[in-house]
Amino acid sequence: MKKWLFVVTALFALLIFALVIGANTDQLPGPIDSIYRLPRGDKFGHLILFGTLSFLLNKSALALFPKQNPARLVLTVSLILSIVIALEEWSQVLFPSRLSSIKDLIAGYMGVFPAALLAYWTR
């Protein structure tokens, strides 16, 4: 069971990485760009994408380190992910086609923490 979870987590992280590159170069795929252009579509995207990534990373960490304190592990993974999300949001100031937004950051965090709790509760 662990192996498929790690593969899915890695593939999902790569998907998000590809979307970030696409957004930074103003080359998002058509369907994704359509969602992004909807009112608050980018906020919804942050919430869903980072929430899903949080769930997958936390489930993977819990499977990989079963002897660790699960609450501490989920908190650590979630805080690291939150720092990465903040750095990615801040990095948008380096790209003329992007806007760094506290609302996007909050939307990402709104996905991370409930998903982390779900991963913890379903361990």
Side-chain angles (χ1 to χ4, degrees):
M1 181 172 121
K2 290 180 192 177
K3 194 172 198 172
W4 73 265
L5 180 60
F6 299 138
V7 169
V8 169
T9 303
L11 289 174
F12 195 79
L14 286 173
L15 169 71
I16 291 177
F17 184 71
L19 290 172
V20 167
I21 290 172
N24 287 347
T25 58
D26 203 21
Q27 296 179 355
L28 284 173
I32 302 295
D33 191 51
S34 297
I35 293 169
Y36 186 80
R37 304 266 177 231
L38 291 172
R40 290 181 279 293
D42 62 329
K43 310 301 183 268
F44 181 73
H46 280 83
L47 187 135
I48 297 300
L49 289 172
F50 290 128
T52 302
L53 183 61
S54 173
F55 180 80
L56 291 170
L57 286 172
N58 279 296
K59 289 298 274 190
S60 293
L62 288 165
L64 190 59
F65 303 106
K67 296 183 189 250
Q68 296 293 323
N69 177 324
R72 177 174 282 159
L73 186 59
V74 167
L75 180 61
T76 301
V77 168
S78 300
L79 288 175
I80 291 169
L81 178 57
S82 296
I83 291 168
V84 169
I85 291 169
L87 289 172
E88 190 284 321
E89 191 63 38
W90 171 82
S91 75
Q92 292 178 21
V93 301
L94 304 173
F95 299 92
S97 64
R98 305 287 313 267
L99 279 174
S100 185
S101 161
I102 191 73
K103 291 178 181 178
D104 285 349
L105 183 63
I106 291 169
Y109 289 167
M110 287 175 63
V112 169
F113 294 105
L117 286 174
L118 183 62
Y120 176 78
W121 290 331
T122 60
R123 67 184 191 282

